[in-house]
Amino acid sequence: MAQVIGWLGGGGMIAFVLILALRCLALLGWMPVSLPGWKVFRWEEPLPHPSRFSRRDYAAAFVAVLAVQWAVLFFAWLTLNQSGGFEAFLTHFWQRFTQAGDSPHYLFIAQNGYVPSGEDAKWIVFYPLYPLCIRLMSLFTGGNFELAGILVSQLCWGGCGAVALSLAGRWLPRAQAVWAVGFLAVYPFAFFSMGVYTESLFLLLCLGCMRLALTGRWGWAGLLGGLAALCRTQGMVLLLPVLWLWLRARKNSRQGPKSLGLLLIPAGWGGYLACNRLLFGDWFAFLEFQAAPPWYQTTKWIGENLTQHWNLALQYPGLASFIYWPQVVLYFAVLALLFWGLFTGARTEWLIWGGAYLGMTYLAGWMISGPRYLLSCLPVFFLLARIRPIWLRAALGGLSAMALFAYGALYMQGQAIM
């Protein structure tokens, strides 16, 4: 069965990429031959008139996404049957979101920077932008780096709600745009947005990059995309949907020197490689550290990785429901949603963005944070908002919210959710 899962996952991604490539060629007019039945795949929904939202709407989205997470985590904490009231909840929250998982590593870099030797040299595998933001925020928190990290993440998460509403409003009718933000808010692993993790900052930069690209502000889009690539490897994925938007815009008008701003996206990743070069004399030193304990992470084909996830789920049943089963299920759920988008005329930039992000994420061997990483596969939430039957949208949103509460409770209990 594991081999079948791997074959289906890898083969499905290849089929998706091939069909999507043909659609792109057809929409650009570079494939004059029309294949039988090809209209089903090359048809793309026209953009609606941009939805108008007020400042009050954006403020409400900012507050709402934060309120959802605080409410979920508070009620999740109540399942622990602890005494001490709200103060005890805050103490427990602080412990889980500043001391668990990768949080201590980001805090170490924020306080000490990268080090070129010794045991702590391995923290070069974590990208520099988020620790730098923590260090800057610590100037306003009296040197309290833990508080600075939480503030950066939560301010960015609130910003995600507002910018996601603005971006969705360029692609979707008003009601569906609100649904898209709602799906983002109740993603089952969205609680990672609240603590010392890169998720919120990375999400905000990706959303801002695409929002600017949609209005042809290539320089600013490239800058935010470059910062996203300085935050996580997957930031490089933004180059593909932004380049697609540029090619579409280029068909309608001449693009000036500002379009060179797109080069800032790979330049951001180049900045991270330069850190490796300065510290270790090797542009790709981080790969050696990633392949060593405790990560054991190398690049492998998607099918091989899915086979490994399936086998590890059977080998470690205690971790299966936290890590391995969600990684397998979410991969196929996202891939199925992308295929559905191909058949139903979803925006091509969503499909390019979502497919590239999913593929890059699942090329990582020995991955243990796949469900958290897929919070940043933002096209999923726009695709879900496109579902026409409201009852189905509501059912999927309710199911996601229940999963969010369940995993939030498990995380607050101290389970190995990463």
Side-chain angles (χ1 to χ4, degrees):
M1 185 63 181
Q3 294 297 327
V4 173
I5 292 296
W7 182 85
L8 287 173
M13 179 57 71
I14 292 173
F16 174 77
V17 170
L18 289 176
I19 296 171
L20 181 57
L22 290 174
R23 180 204 258 206
C24 292
L25 292 174
L27 289 173
L28 291 172
W30 296 350
M31 191 183 73
V33 178
S34 182
L35 301 175
W38 185 241
K39 289 183 178 179
V40 175
F41 295 101
R42 65 170 292 182
W43 176 71
E44 180 183 63
E45 263 184 356
L47 285 172
H49 291 294
S51 301
R52 293 187 177 183
F53 294 100
S54 66
R55 292 182 180 179
R56 182 176 296 179
D57 294 326
Y58 294 130
F62 184 101
V63 172
V65 295
L66 281 165
V68 167
Q69 296 306 318
W70 275 109
V72 165
L73 292 171
F74 178 70
F75 286 107
W77 175 78
L78 292 179
T79 66
L80 304 180
N81 295 318
Q82 300 288 324
S83 60
F86 191 70
E87 184 178 350
F89 160 69
L90 291 178
T91 300
H92 191 74
F93 172 92
W94 187 274
Q95 186 273 327
R96 289 300 292 153
F97 284 95
T98 63
Q99 299 176 28
D102 294 332
S103 298
H105 314 326
Y106 288 115
L107 292 171
F108 177 88
I109 298 168
Q111 294 177 68
N112 305 289
Y114 295 119
V115 294
S117 60
E119 181 67 19
D120 292 320
K122 63 186 177 184
W123 305 135
I124 188 64
V125 300
F126 297 101
Y127 281 50
L129 183 62
Y130 180 59
L132 176 60
C133 290
I134 294 176
R135 189 169 187 86
L136 293 174
M137 181 62 78
S138 71
L139 300 176
F140 302 94
T141 61
N144 187 326
F145 285 87
E146 291 84 358
L147 178 59
I150 288 177
L151 284 176
V152 169
S153 291
Q154 296 200 16
L155 289 172
C156 288
W157 178 241
C160 286
V163 180
L165 185 64
S166 176
L167 178 58
R170 303 288 303 192
W171 276 323
L172 296 165
R174 182 182 178 90
Q176 290 183 355
V178 174
W179 274 96
V181 178
F183 278 116
L184 172 64
V186 298
Y187 178 74
F189 296 85
F191 54 83
F192 281 106
S193 64
M194 302 293 281
V196 185
Y197 281 87
T198 61
E199 265 59 36
S200 296
L201 175 61
F202 181 70
L203 276 167
L204 183 59
L205 292 169
C206 291
L207 288 164
C209 172
M210 292 301 291
R211 177 64 181 83
L212 291 165
L214 275 177
T215 51
R217 286 176 278 184
W218 308 115
W220 288 108
L223 176 61
L224 293 190
L227 290 174
L230 198 57
C231 188
R232 286 223 322 242
T233 308
Q234 288 93 333
M236 282 288 291
V237 163
L238 289 166
L239 183 61
L240 296 178
V242 172
L243 182 60
W244 169 255
L245 290 171
W246 179 80
L247 288 171
R248 296 294 294 272
R250 189 169 175 268
K251 287 185 65 178
N252 302 321
S253 62
R254 295 183 63 185
Q255 301 297 310
K258 290 183 178 179
S259 61
L260 295 175
L262 301 184
L263 298 177
L264 292 173
I265 298 177
W269 193 56
Y272 171 64
L273 299 183
C275 290
N276 283 259
R277 180 71 175 81
L278 289 170
L279 284 165
F280 303 102
D282 181 356
W283 295 91
F284 298 96
F286 71 98
L287 294 176
E288 182 179 348
F289 289 105
Q290 276 185 343
W295 297 291
Y296 306 100
Q297 195 171 99
T298 55
T299 301
K300 297 179 181 178
W301 174 238
I302 293 168
E304 185 178 349
N305 288 328
L306 288 169
T307 298
Q308 182 189 58
H309 299 332
W310 184 277
N311 287 330
L312 288 172
L314 298 177
Q315 186 177 353
Y316 300 102
L319 296 175
S321 60
F322 309 144
I323 299 174
Y324 301 116
W325 291 136
Q327 286 184 163
V328 173
V329 171
L330 285 171
Y331 174 84
F332 285 101
V334 172
L335 187 60
L337 198 59
L338 291 170
F339 267 109
W340 173 75
L342 269 177
F343 279 96
T344 58
R347 298 296 304 176
T348 303
E349 53 267 25
W350 300 358
L351 304 176
I352 294 172
W353 186 7
Y357 185 91
L358 181 68
M360 177 176 278
T361 299
Y362 277 78
L363 285 173
W366 285 97
M367 183 168 60
I368 57 175
S369 301
R372 170 165 63 90
Y373 294 155
L374 285 182
L375 169 62
S376 302
C377 193
L378 289 159
V380 167
F381 309 115
F382 302 123
L383 286 165
L384 287 170
R386 261 184 92 246
I387 295 173
R388 295 196 180 278
I390 293 180
W391 67 266
L392 183 54
R393 259 188 267 160
L396 291 172
L399 183 64
S400 184
M402 288 189 289
L404 170 63
F405 178 77
Y407 281 109
L410 291 169
Y411 186 79
M412 293 295 276
Q413 291 171 13
Q415 300 292 346
I417 300 175
M418 304 176 193

